[in-house]
Amino acid sequence: MSAPAENIPVIEVTDLVREFHGRRVLNGISFKVMKGDTMIIMGGSGCGKSTLLRHVIGSMKPTSGSIKLFGEEITGLDEAGLARIRRRFGMLFQSGALLQSMTVGENVALPIVEHSKLDPGIVDLMVKLKLEMVGLTGFEHLKPAEISGGMKKRVGLARALALDPELLFSDEPTAGLDPIMVSVVDILTKDMTRKLGVTAVVVTHDMTSAFRIGSRMIMLGTGPNQGKIIATGTPEEIRASANGEVQQFINGEPDGPVPLKLSKDDYVTRLLGHPRLKNNAFT
Amino acid sequence: MKSYLTLNGQILYWTLLAPFRGQPFKIGEVFRQMVAIGVRALPMAALTSFSIGLTMAMQGAGALRKMGGLSYVPDLVTLSLLRELGPLIVAVIVIGRSGSAVTAELGTMKVSEEIEALEVMAINPIRFLVVPRFLAMMIMLPVLTVFGDWMGMVGGWSVCHFALDFETAAYIHRSVTRAETWDLLSGLIKSVVFAWLIITIACHKGLAVEGGAEGVGQATTDSVVWSLLIMLIANAILTGFFFFS
């Protein structure tokens, strides 16, 4: 007998490995996201968190490992199968990724028009509702080039939510927003997950926002721990983590397990291509 | 090469089969692209064809006069325009103006994540972006070619009429009686083949862009160079096939 629907994870990633030209960017990642959770993926620049997200949404294929969305394996799916899964989730890109040739309103309407046969009047109404939600009433007729970066991101969010998805992915949703808009986007995400039961996966390095909305967190490591999960748990568990790298990251300290500067010897070795010789004329 | 052939297959699928499986392309977008790719290229195609017709009439007159065959100028102008120069000149203009624009636009969309965003929204970029451009090109290049043929003949006429004292009626009569339907048709078949090559190369180069603004620039150059090269080779092959075998 299959498990009741409530207990099936919305996302289940197992032993995900991805190599680019022999370099392991993701190294055996496993995690689950349950319905209604807000999963925060954090980590320093270049730790592979955007790459991880791109695998989960099916844009990239892993070297090995398994990714299940809504209980269905997506790594081997053909285009039609992937399209069927993708209709159930929304994605907010880091840049917003709005179509420059269309107006703001047309961008938000795009998924609705493409995937439903609704009357244009109703589509119009839905677009207005979604734009109002992100505080952009009356911006329908502007082109993406005519609005600010933060506004583009909010339009991107409105578009991601256009079809009322069960699952929302956000890549750096708050980067480039002012503090007021950050809390607006946070509250929006929180409302969706707590009130509507939407599941959210948020890639971010904004710690205030992460602890405000996250119900589960994972942190990816850098350096020797590249592409591995070094910490996982609830926000409280992460805050109490004994891992130095985690503490350095959430407290934003410049130096720690992730070094600010190389040691003097390492520095010289990198510069010269060999360690400094003891009896060298320069010493 | 493999990805180019795959693209051709995908275009055929999304143009011919998918609309009957409930996944139609946007007709409105086809018309929008017809304006962008075809209508906006009209002034330049007209001017170049006119000047080519003009030049050819002048050169032809110089050579034919020595043989006492001045009355053959309209034949020369009309036949070379219909069979060769009309389709060729218009294709060159469209490559430089519209093919490059398609590559640059798709390339920019690729680097700014717009194409990935479409895919993630379960909107197929071939259906949404490529098919309208493909159809617009397949329709507009032959149309522009007919127009270019006509403008070239007007160019030839203006030399004959104003410098060589031809009667307008005589010029038209000579052109029309000398040219056969096949002459026009062969040129149009060529322009259909050119349209296919230009738009598939332009879309392929655009969708393959990697790495920012520099990649877009490189792809646009590649698109123009390859389109010209392949188009000229195809032209030689088709001429050999139509008139030399």
Side-chain angles (χ1 to χ4, degrees):
Chain A
M1 210 183 102
S2 66
E6 292 297 312
N7 293 337
I8 295 177
V10 178
I11 302 172
E12 187 172 7
V13 175
T14 320
D15 295 329
L16 182 64
V17 172
R18 176 61 196 248
E19 290 177 357
F20 289 109
H21 313 293
R23 200 169 71 90
R24 278 202 173 195
V25 176
L26 299 176
N27 191 1
I29 302 251
S30 301
F31 65 93
K32 286 179 188 173
V33 182
M34 306 306 283
K35 190 173 158 51
D37 262 346
T38 301
M39 170 66 93
I40 307 284
I41 300 174
M42 52 188 192
S45 301
C47 70
K49 51 191 192 302
S50 285
T51 310
L52 173 59
L53 192 64
R54 282 194 156 65
H55 281 87
V56 179
I57 62 175
S59 290
M60 290 180 169
K61 296 274 177 229
T63 309
S64 69
S66 137
I67 302 163
K68 283 182 183 166
L69 286 187
F70 309 109
E72 194 171 343
E73 181 67 46
I74 64 158
T75 46
L77 274 185
D78 63 353
E79 205 185 326
L82 207 51
R84 182 167 42 78
I85 299 274
R86 280 170 164 173
R87 260 170 243 175
R88 298 174 64 182
F89 68 72
M91 161 93 188
L92 166 60
F93 285 83
Q94 193 168 355
S95 62
L98 303 178
L99 299 184
Q100 299 290 328
S101 58
M102 296 179 157
T103 64
V104 164
E106 286 166 341
N107 263 290
V108 179
L110 186 62
I112 313 176
V113 173
E114 287 292 320
H115 297 309
S116 75
K117 290 192 167 61
L118 292 174
D119 186 75
I122 297 178
V123 174
D124 234 36
L125 202 68
M126 287 172 77
V127 169
K128 286 211 172 80
L129 277 172
K130 300 294 171 191
L131 281 176
E132 200 197 325
M133 225 163 67
V134 294
L136 286 175
T137 313
F139 282 81
E140 290 95 316
H141 303 296
L142 294 180
K143 286 279 178 78
E146 297 164 336
I147 59 178
S148 76
M151 288 175 176
K152 276 182 209 161
K153 198 160 260 183
R154 280 143 69 195
V155 176
L157 182 62
R159 185 177 70 181
L161 299 176
L163 287 175
D164 297 319
E166 302 160 56
L167 173 60
L168 173 72
F169 294 100
S170 304
D171 193 359
E172 306 280 2
T174 54
L177 296 185
D178 64 64
I180 301 174
M181 242 28 249
V182 169
S183 38
V184 169
V185 169
D186 283 351
I187 289 169
L188 217 63
T189 316
K190 216 168 174 173
D191 279 356
M192 280 188 349
T193 50
R194 308 284 146 85
K195 292 179 186 161
L196 302 176
V198 172
T199 312
V201 175
V202 181
V203 168
T204 188
H205 47 228
D206 178 344
M207 286 302 107
T208 324
S209 158
F211 281 105
R212 191 151 50 190
I213 62 174
S215 64
R216 302 278 305 166
M217 298 179 146
I218 58 177
M219 178 159 167
L220 301 185
T222 48
N225 292 322
Q226 170 73 42
K228 287 182 185 156
I229 295 180
I230 55 168
T232 173
T234 62
E236 293 74 33
E237 286 164 358
I238 293 289
R239 229 192 272 274
S241 167
N243 187 319
E245 201 175 329
V246 175
Q247 285 302 330
Q248 186 194 355
F249 191 80
I250 61 178
N251 296 321
E253 284 151 7
D255 216 351
V258 178
L260 171 67
K261 288 188 180 127
L262 302 167
S263 72
K264 194 172 76 181
D265 289 341
D266 282 349
Y267 180 75
V268 170
T269 308
R270 282 205 190 172
L271 207 62
L272 299 178
H274 57 78
R276 189 189 333 219
L277 300 171
K278 275 283 174 264
N279 298 321
N280 195 295
F282 294 109
T283 50
Chain B
M1 189 63 197
K2 185 168 166 255
S3 62
Y4 175 71
L5 293 178
T6 314
L7 177 71
N8 277 275
Q10 285 172 325
I11 291 175
L12 285 179
Y13 171 79
W14 287 104
T15 311
L16 301 174
L17 283 181
F20 299 103
R21 296 182 179 179
Q23 291 180 301
F25 51 84
K26 291 266 185 295
I27 291 287
E29 184 62 15
V30 177
F31 283 102
R32 221 175 61 82
Q33 290 298 329
M34 278 166 69
V35 172
I37 287 175
V39 178
R40 300 240 166 90
L42 203 84
M44 256 179 90
L47 205 64
T48 359
S49 304
F50 180 82
S51 82
I52 287 289
L54 202 79
T55 322
M56 215 159 41
M58 292 192 288
Q59 289 285 6
L64 289 169
R65 196 197 301 268
K66 289 177 196 150
M67 300 183 280
L70 209 54
S71 60
Y72 288 99
V73 174
D75 308 41
L76 175 80
V77 173
T78 307
L79 283 191
S80 41
L81 271 172
L82 290 183
R83 290 179 178 181
E84 293 291 336
L85 290 173
L88 207 70
I89 289 300
V90 171
V92 169
I93 294 297
V94 168
I95 287 172
R97 210 201 142 275
S98 311
S100 59
V102 166
T103 306
E105 193 184 1
L106 292 183
T108 309
M109 294 183 76
K110 176 84 189 292
V111 297
S112 59
E113 295 183 317
E114 288 179 44
I115 296 201
E116 193 186 346
L118 281 175
E119 283 172 348
V120 171
M121 286 189 276
I123 299 170
N124 186 290
I126 306 290
R127 172 176 70 83
F128 192 78
L129 298 172
V130 176
V131 168
R133 286 165 174 78
F134 169 77
L135 286 175
M137 182 67 90
M138 296 303 284
I139 296 166
M140 288 315 278
L141 194 62
V143 171
L144 280 175
T145 301
V146 171
F147 187 73
D149 288 345
W150 188 79
M151 281 309 289
M153 283 191 255
V154 172
W157 165 83
S158 58
V159 169
C160 290
H161 184 70
F162 295 114
L164 305 174
D165 294 328
F166 267 64
E167 289 285 339
T168 302
Y171 181 87
I172 295 173
H173 184 253
R174 269 217 83 99
S175 299
V176 173
T177 45
R178 185 64 181 81
E180 288 172 24
T181 317
W182 172 241
D183 293 319
L184 174 66
L185 214 57
S186 68
L188 287 182
I189 293 173
K190 279 182 176 181
S191 79
V192 168
V193 174
F194 296 166
W196 185 294
L197 293 171
I198 294 169
I199 197 66
T200 48
I201 291 173
C203 290
H204 178 248
K205 291 287 173 197
L207 292 175
V209 166
E210 298 281 344
E214 195 191 346
V216 175
Q218 185 62 47
T220 310
T221 310
D222 279 0
S223 161
V224 170
V225 171
W226 278 102
S227 295
L228 277 175
L229 197 70
I230 303 285
M231 188 268 287
L232 289 171
I233 293 171
N235 185 49
I237 294 172
L238 287 175
T239 299
F241 194 66
F242 289 157
F243 299 103
F244 209 70
S245 59

